[in-house]
Amino acid sequence: MATRVGIIVLSGTLDKVMPAFIIGTTAAAMGMEVGMFFSFYGLNAIHKEKHKNLKVSPIGNPAMPMPIPVPQILTVMPGMMDFATSMMKSMMEKHKVPSLPDLIRQAKELEIKLYPCQTAMTLFGYTTDDLIEGVEKPAGAATFLSFVNAGDKSIVLNF
């Protein structure tokens, strides 16, 4: 039995979802079994429509590179989130970092189990028809933890 990696995706921002998928696909490519559990706003990462429009929030993110120095207080101004998202996507394209749809496709090809959280689905009124193709049936925390715990070694990461 292989090492199992459990990745909990709670955030629905692009700068949190991307690393979750990058680590997940890398672990799967290294032969580890990977399960990703999408709860609360992280559920939007596997929503048919919403995953296409995830944003980067510059608010409270002083490490975010800006083309010119911007005082943190200005990051709350209208349009800054769209600007930050556009800037991040441009940098990703320039440096040939795969897009989120590419990473989702890779995750499915690598047989990563994508678990939508049943509680979050109920909370937000989502149905399985709202989710991308290829996800597991909605699951609770016990199902996800049972997956992770079934490995010889287990690693759990939270984004």
Side-chain angles (χ1 to χ4, degrees):
M1 194 163 288
T3 298
R4 288 209 171 171
V5 178
I7 299 174
I8 303 167
V9 183
L10 297 172
S11 174
T13 61
L14 189 63
D15 55 324
K16 298 273 180 95
V17 171
M18 291 289 296
F21 272 98
I22 290 169
I23 289 174
T25 55
T26 301
M30 292 174 65
M32 298 177 207
E33 294 179 53
V34 180
M36 298 177 73
F37 186 71
F38 299 87
S39 190
F40 287 82
Y41 305 120
L43 195 54
N44 289 334
I46 56 172
H47 187 281
K48 280 181 186 172
E49 296 304 318
K50 294 183 181 193
H51 85 273
K52 299 173 190 173
N53 300 310
L54 297 186
K55 304 221 182 258
V56 174
S57 176
I59 301 168
N61 193 355
M64 182 168 195
M66 291 288 193
I68 58 169
V70 176
Q72 191 63 33
I73 190 71
L74 296 181
T75 62
V76 299
M77 289 178 51
M80 287 300 286
M81 191 174 298
D82 289 334
F83 172 74
T85 302
S86 177
M87 187 179 72
M88 179 66 74
K89 286 183 176 181
S90 177
M91 289 186 335
M92 288 168 50
E93 188 175 316
K94 177 182 175 185
H95 296 289
K96 297 180 176 37
V97 173
S99 68
L100 181 57
D102 290 339
L103 288 170
I104 291 170
R105 186 172 49 258
Q106 287 176 12
K108 291 193 275 186
E109 288 170 2
L110 290 165
E111 300 180 4
I112 291 175
K113 295 189 180 305
L114 306 174
Y115 293 100
C117 173
Q118 179 63 64
T119 302
M121 288 185 64
T122 301
L123 180 65
F124 297 125
Y126 293 169
T127 67
T128 53
D129 291 336
D130 295 319
L131 305 178
I132 61 173
E133 300 271 331
V135 300
E136 301 295 312
K137 68 180 186 173
T143 299
F144 174 70
L145 292 172
S146 293
F147 164 81
V148 174
N149 196 40
D152 287 338
K153 295 180 187 173
S154 301
I155 300 167
V156 178
L157 305 166
N158 181 35
F159 291 86

